[in-house]
C-alpha cells in the first residue's frame, strides 16, 4: 500500500497515540519519541505530521474539542426537552468513565501548557467561549423566562462546577466516583430550578 493510501490510517494512529500519551503518561512525557513509540512508527513520521511539542498539544486539544462537539450535538439532538438537553450536555463534561477521565486529563494537561504559550491559550479561550455559549443557549432554553444576566451567571456556575468536578475526579477518582459527580450535578440543577420535573 502506498504512503498516500496509508495516510488516513496513519493520521488516525498518530492522533490516537498523541491522545494516549497525554492521557496516560502526562504532559511531561508528551514528546515526539513517546508518540512514535505509542503509534509503533518512526519519529520521522511523527515529525512529518507534528514538527514540535506545541503541535502535539494543539492536536490533542483540537481532538478533545471535536470529540466533545460531536458528543454534545448528538445529546442535544436526541433530548426530549431543553432541561434534559442541558443535563445531558453537562453530564458528558464530568469524568465518569475511562473516555471522559482521559478527556479531563488531556484538558488539564493542555491548560497547564497553555499558560506559557500565546497560541495555545488562545485555542483554549476560543473553545471555552464556544462551550460557554452552548451552555448559555441551553440554560436559556431551559429557563426562557430568565433575564440574560441570570442565564449567563448560571451557565458559568454550572460550567465551573462540572469542570471542577471532572478535574478533581481525573486526579482522584476514588474520592469523586461517577455516582457522586452525577449527584452533584443533579443537586446543582435542582438548586437553580433547572431539574427536569418527573
Amino acid at each position: 500500500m502506498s504512503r498516500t493510501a496509508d495516510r488516513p490510517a496513519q493520521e488516525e494512529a498518530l492522533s490516537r497515540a498523541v491522545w494516549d500519551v497525554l492521557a496516560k503518561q502526562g504532559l511531561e512525557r508528551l514528546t515526539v519519541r513517546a508518540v512514535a513509540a505509542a503509534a509503533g512508527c518512526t519519529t520521522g513520521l511523527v515529525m512529518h505530521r507534528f514538527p514540535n511539542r506545541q503541535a502535539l498539544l494543539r492536536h490533542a486539544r483540537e481532538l478533545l474539542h471535536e470529540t466533545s462537539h460531536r458528543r454534545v450535538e448528538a445529546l442535544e439532538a436526541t433530548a426530549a426537552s431543553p432541561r434534559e438537553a442541558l443535563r445531558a450536555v453537562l453530564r458528558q463534561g464530568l469524568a465518569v468513565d475511562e473516555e471522559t477521565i482521559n478527556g479531563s486529563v488531556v484538558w488539564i494537561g493542555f491548560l497547564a501548557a497553555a499558560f506559557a504559550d500565546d497560541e495555545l491559550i488562545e485555542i483554549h479561550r476560543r473553545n471555552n467561549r464556544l462551550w460557554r455559549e452552548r451552555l448559555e443557549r441551553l440554560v436559556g432554553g431551559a429557563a426562557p423566562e430568565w433575564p440574560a444576566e441570570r442565564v449567563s451567571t448560571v451557565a458559568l456556575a454550572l460550567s465551573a462546577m462540572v469542570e471542577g468536578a471532572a478535574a478533581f475526579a481525573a486526579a482522584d477518582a476514588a474520592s469523586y466516583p461517577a455516582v457522586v459527580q452525577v449527584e452533584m450535578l443533579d443537586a446543582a440543577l435542582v438548586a437553580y430550578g433547572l431539574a427536569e420535573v418527573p
Side-chain angles (χ1 to χ4, degrees), residues 55-133:
L56 292 170
L57 282 166
R58 187 169 55 245
H59 183 67
R61 183 61 178 94
E62 292 300 345
L63 274 177
L64 178 60
H65 175 72
E66 291 166 15
T67 302
S68 297
H69 180 76
R70 282 193 302 271
R71 197 164 49 227
V72 297
E73 286 290 315
L75 290 169
E76 278 196 63
T78 58
S81 71
R83 290 185 176 198
E84 184 180 301
L86 175 63
R87 182 183 185 274
V89 168
L90 287 166
R91 189 184 184 286
Q92 71 78 40
L94 297 170
V96 295
D97 54 30
E98 184 177 2
E99 181 183 3
T100 53
I101 289 170
N102 287 343
S104 186
V105 171
V106 169
W107 185 85
I108 293 165
F110 178 88
L111 184 58
F115 281 109
D117 187 296
D118 290 341
E119 183 181 354
L120 296 180
I121 199 68
E122 185 49 42
I123 291 170
H124 169 74
R125 288 173 178 156
R126 182 185 72 234
N127 289 329
N128 193 51
R129 280 192 296 270
L130 292 171
W131 171 243
R132 284 185 60 188
E133 287 168 9

Side-chain angles (χ1 to χ4, degrees), residues 172-184:
D172 184 7
S175 295
Y176 296 87
V179 66
V180 170
Q181 292 178 66
V182 173
E183 286 172 358
M184 290 166 59

Side-chain angles (χ1 to χ4, degrees), residues 32-69:
V32 168
R33 187 176 304 244
V35 170
C41 67
T42 65
T43 56
L45 181 61
V46 176
M47 290 187 74
H48 179 70
R49 175 67 176 84
F50 305 110
N52 53 43
R53 190 166 186 261
Q54 182 188 42
L56 292 170
L57 282 166
R58 187 169 55 245
H59 183 67
R61 183 61 178 94
E62 292 300 345
L63 274 177
L64 178 60
H65 175 72
E66 291 166 15
T67 302
S68 297
H69 180 76

